[in-house]
């Protein structure tokens, strides 16, 4: 398997009410535990583009995964940066919605 490029398109995000840090949030190693976590939900199209990989010719080297019900969190790091992550676990199991396609413009 060769290198890949990951791109997001059509991103929509809603931010919920913040909540205090909880000990179960330790899976975020750089979290500032004095700041609230914000639940997020939304959707996006995730392109995985294969670089110089057999079966993925240039110009049609991407797969699109639709993630219509993604959820996750945003939080502040100990450096004061924002870190956000969300995924749609059901969409990952379904595999690509469209393949092979050109990368987004």
């Amino acid at each position: 398997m060769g290198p890949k490029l990951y791109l997001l398109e059509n991103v929509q995000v809603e931010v919920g009410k913040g909540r205090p840090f909880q000990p179960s949030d330790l899976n975020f190693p750089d979290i500032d535990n004095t700041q609230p976590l914000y639940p997020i939900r939304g959707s996006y199209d995730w392109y995985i583009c294969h670089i110089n990989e057999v079966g993925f010719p240039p110009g049609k080297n991407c797969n699109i995964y639709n993630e219509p019900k993604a959820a996750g969190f945003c939080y502040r790091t100990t450096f004061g940066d924002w870190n956000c992550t969300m995924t749609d676990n059901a969409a990952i199991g379904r595999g690509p919605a469209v393949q092979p396609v050109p990368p987004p413009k």
Side-chain angles (χ1 to χ4, degrees), residues 74-93:
C74 285
Y75 61 90
R76 288 273 186 146
T77 70
T78 54
F79 289 99
D81 299 323
W82 283 101
N83 193 336
C84 299
T85 182
M86 69 177 188
T87 190
D88 181 339
N89 290 327
I92 292 170

Side-chain angles (χ1 to χ4, degrees), residues 19-37 75-81:
R19 66 158 176 81
F21 172 83
Q22 299 170 355
S24 61
D25 297 326
L26 290 176
N27 57 340
F28 303 123
D30 58 349
I31 192 169
D32 179 346
N33 62 13
T34 67
Q35 300 293 315
L37 268 75
Y75 61 90
R76 288 273 186 146
T77 70
T78 54
F79 289 99
D81 299 323

Side-chain angles (χ1 to χ4, degrees), residues 9-105:
E9 187 175 62
N10 304 319
V11 177
Q12 295 185 5
V13 178
E14 291 180 88
V15 180
K17 181 180 177 184
R19 66 158 176 81
F21 172 83
Q22 299 170 355
S24 61
D25 297 326
L26 290 176
N27 57 340
F28 303 123
D30 58 349
I31 192 169
D32 179 346
N33 62 13
T34 67
Q35 300 293 315
L37 268 75
Y38 294 88
I40 58 173
R41 65 181 180 192
S43 61
Y44 56 91
D45 296 328
W46 181 27
Y47 285 74
I48 300 179
C49 299
H50 304 262
I51 312 300
N52 298 325
E53 195 169 330
V54 174
F56 295 93
K60 277 202 144 184
N61 57 325
C62 299
N63 295 335
I64 302 174
Y65 292 79
N66 300 118
E67 302 218 4
K69 294 183 180 182
F73 287 96
C74 285
Y75 61 90
R76 288 273 186 146
T77 70
T78 54
F79 289 99
D81 299 323
W82 283 101
N83 193 336
C84 299
T85 182
M86 69 177 188
T87 190
D88 181 339
N89 290 327
I92 292 170
R94 285 192 296 272
V98 184
Q99 64 181 354
V101 299
K105 301 230 181 238

